[in-house]
Amino acid sequence: MSINPFVSLFGRSPIGPMQQHIAKAHECATHLVPFFQAVIAEDWPKVTEVQQEMSRLEKEADKLKRNVRIHLPKSLFLPVPRSDLLELLSVQDKVANRAKDIAGLMTGRQMTIPQPMQLAMLAYVQRSVDASEQALRAMNELDEVLETGFGSRQVARITGMIEVLEDIEHDTDRIQIEVRRSLYALEKDLPPVDVMFLYTIIEWIGDGADRAERIGNRLEQLLAR
């Protein structure tokens, strides 16, 4: 396999640290599944425990983000534009931020999920996390693309992963419609403030998948340069 001379000179940095960052952001997002399971069970000590762990992971992701920004080379010999990497890093960070937001709001208000919505909500959360996982998989292929000088086979592999990511995000859109519809049917029997915040949470879960998809979009733009 041919090796890009620039990568030989500068090593895999900064791609390795960026991969570590998205792995930490995804780890934070994965905790949404046990978090919602605890919410549905109304196990508030467990809810608080998971929320605190998510907050810790988000802070670790922030530290990794700052380290990448501080140490990202300013050299003209980077295999991709520095500005593109910084934009990608910012998008990655938003995955953890949104997951933390969801857990923080629901814990603070001790929000519950009406029983008729629970199964659909769990499926919705899982699919949003699936989007984050697929974004991580695509990002983990980037170093090989750079090593091979943007070889066509490696680029095609990432492109295929991004297409799967888009399909997953479309799934979350479909499930979101179902969850919204089920909440609408229950509105008259629920306190209006609870309904308002449930709609907010539904929106934020979908936003988590949207942010994961944006990672794929940024990768596509980077590969097209």
Side-chain angles (χ1 to χ4, degrees):
M1 181 174 63
S2 63
I3 302 297
N4 186 314
F6 292 144
V7 176
S8 298
L9 181 60
F10 294 105
R12 293 189 177 186
S13 180
I15 304 306
M18 290 189 64
Q19 289 169 333
Q20 294 173 17
H21 175 264
I22 191 175
K24 188 65 65 175
H26 172 62
E27 185 181 358
C28 180
T30 62
H31 281 67
L32 283 173
V33 175
F35 177 82
F36 272 84
Q37 290 170 341
V39 168
I40 287 172
E42 299 189 30
D43 183 349
W44 300 114
K46 182 65 175 179
V47 167
T48 300
E49 176 188 336
V50 178
Q51 184 270 330
Q52 289 176 348
E53 176 65 6
M54 292 175 70
S55 180
R56 183 187 69 81
L57 290 168
E58 191 273 339
K59 288 178 181 177
E60 289 187 4
D62 274 348
K63 290 180 182 178
L64 290 169
K65 176 187 66 176
R66 286 194 293 272
N67 285 336
V68 173
R69 285 177 171 171
I70 291 171
H71 297 107
L72 185 64
K74 295 180 174 63
S75 169
L76 295 175
F77 295 106
L78 276 172
V80 292
R82 186 175 188 272
S83 59
D84 285 2
L85 293 177
L86 288 173
E87 289 173 5
L88 178 57
L89 179 69
S90 178
V91 175
Q92 289 180 177
D93 198 56
K94 289 179 171 61
V95 171
N97 289 345
R98 182 53 82 205
K100 184 195 73 169
D101 291 344
I102 292 168
L105 178 58
M106 295 189 73
T107 302
R109 294 189 57 81
Q110 288 201 343
M111 292 177 63
T112 58
I113 309 296
Q115 193 279 329
M117 296 176 56
Q118 290 174 0
L119 288 179
M121 184 68 89
L122 283 176
Y124 183 38
V125 170
Q126 182 61 65
R127 208 55 178 147
S128 181
V129 172
D130 289 344
S132 172
E133 181 177 5
Q134 187 65 14
L136 171 63
R137 288 174 179 167
M139 186 63 191
N140 281 343
E141 296 292 323
L142 184 57
D143 51 357
E144 186 171 353
V145 169
L146 298 182
E147 285 180 4
T148 59
F150 292 85
S152 58
R153 182 181 300 177
Q154 287 74 25
V155 169
R157 180 174 173 81
I158 290 190
T159 300
M161 289 181 170
I162 293 170
E163 290 174 354
V164 172
L165 174 55
E166 291 172 349
D167 289 341
I168 294 171
E169 197 278 331
H170 292 157
D171 276 350
T172 63
D173 287 343
R174 175 183 55 79
I175 301 172
Q176 183 185 76
I177 292 170
E178 296 176 6
V179 174
R180 283 180 172 273
R181 187 178 294 128
S182 65
L183 178 56
Y184 178 75
L186 299 169
E187 279 186 10
K188 63 181 181 298
D189 300 318
L190 298 172
V193 173
D194 289 356
V195 170
M196 178 187 70
F197 280 106
L198 277 170
Y199 275 122
T200 296
I201 292 300
I202 292 169
E203 183 70 25
W204 285 0
I205 294 169
D207 188 47
D210 289 342
R211 293 178 178 199
E213 185 188 27
R214 286 175 206 154
I215 295 172
N217 293 339
R218 288 293 181 184
L219 281 173
E220 275 193 317
Q221 293 173 16
L222 187 151
L223 296 176
R225 293 261 181 181

